[in-house]
Amino acid sequence: TNNTLTYAIGETRKSFVVSIIDDAPGATNAPRTINLTLSAPTGGAVLGQSAATITILDNESVIGFSASTYSVIESGGSATISVNRTGGLGDAVSVAFNTVNGTALAGVHYTAVNSTLNFAAGQSNQDVLISVANNLIVDDNRTVNLVLSGFTGSALPGLSSSVLTIVDDESGPGALSFSANSYRVVETNTSVSIGVVRSGGSAGNVSVNF
């Protein structure tokens, strides 16, 4: 747009409107700029600040998992799943987060999560904790499917599915170690019991010489 602003005697403020076009739904882009200039003053007026900039912020944002796969050792207690928002952050949006059984069963191997993630204006990340059970038996690695759906507002789907693998820490033969690096016994005792522990796995029959 371009035009002339005319000030009457005693008048100190004028304004003009720049129309903004919202691009096609689903289009995401970086912020864009418009340069503004004032020129050719008349009536003895001089130019002060004669340049300015408008920045057009993209309103569309993309929400998705930070990775296509995650893993957690079953004795770790919980897995942290990150959901990221990129693109426009100017408004509030939301997305539904759901866990779906893979080879892992909700209530047995993990605690199901079915919630809504609400991103405030300017917010770009949320973490979700999924609790996992340590069952102390050999049952191999198990998987949980992670799904994002129900995008609201200007939110668009990015990586909307992922898989969490619960790693069985009893699935290997394990490591055999003394229970301590030193022991003490009074010489009048008739014996001393030395513990040897198996950790990091309990699958199969194993042995060790002492």
Side-chain angles (χ1 to χ4, degrees), residues 88-191:
L89 305 178
D91 57 352
V93 297
S94 66
V95 63
F97 181 106
N98 298 285
T99 55
V100 179
N101 287 349
T103 55
L105 302 178
V108 177
H109 303 105
Y110 74 100
T111 301
V113 176
N114 297 287
S115 62
T116 299
L117 304 182
N118 295 302
F119 289 80
Q123 186 175 9
S124 60
N125 173 265
Q126 288 206 45
D127 289 336
V128 178
L129 293 180
I130 299 178
S131 297
V132 297
N134 188 10
N135 54 22
L136 302 178
I137 61 174
V138 178
D139 57 358
D140 297 324
N141 297 345
R142 296 182 180 271
T143 58
V144 182
N145 298 314
L146 311 175
V147 180
L148 297 176
S149 62
F151 299 82
T152 68
S154 62
L156 303 171
L159 182 61
S160 58
S161 63
S162 185
V163 177
L164 169 65
T165 299
I166 303 172
V167 180
D168 182 22
D169 57 6
E170 288 87 25
S171 61
L176 302 172
S177 310
F178 285 114
S179 60
N181 58 17
S182 65
Y183 302 86
R184 294 168 64 91
V185 60
V186 178
E187 65 181 359
T188 54
N189 289 358
T190 59
S191 65

Side-chain angles (χ1 to χ4, degrees), residues 189-200:
N189 289 358
T190 59
S191 65
V192 57
S193 178
I194 307 298
V196 179
V197 296
R198 183 183 187 184
S199 60

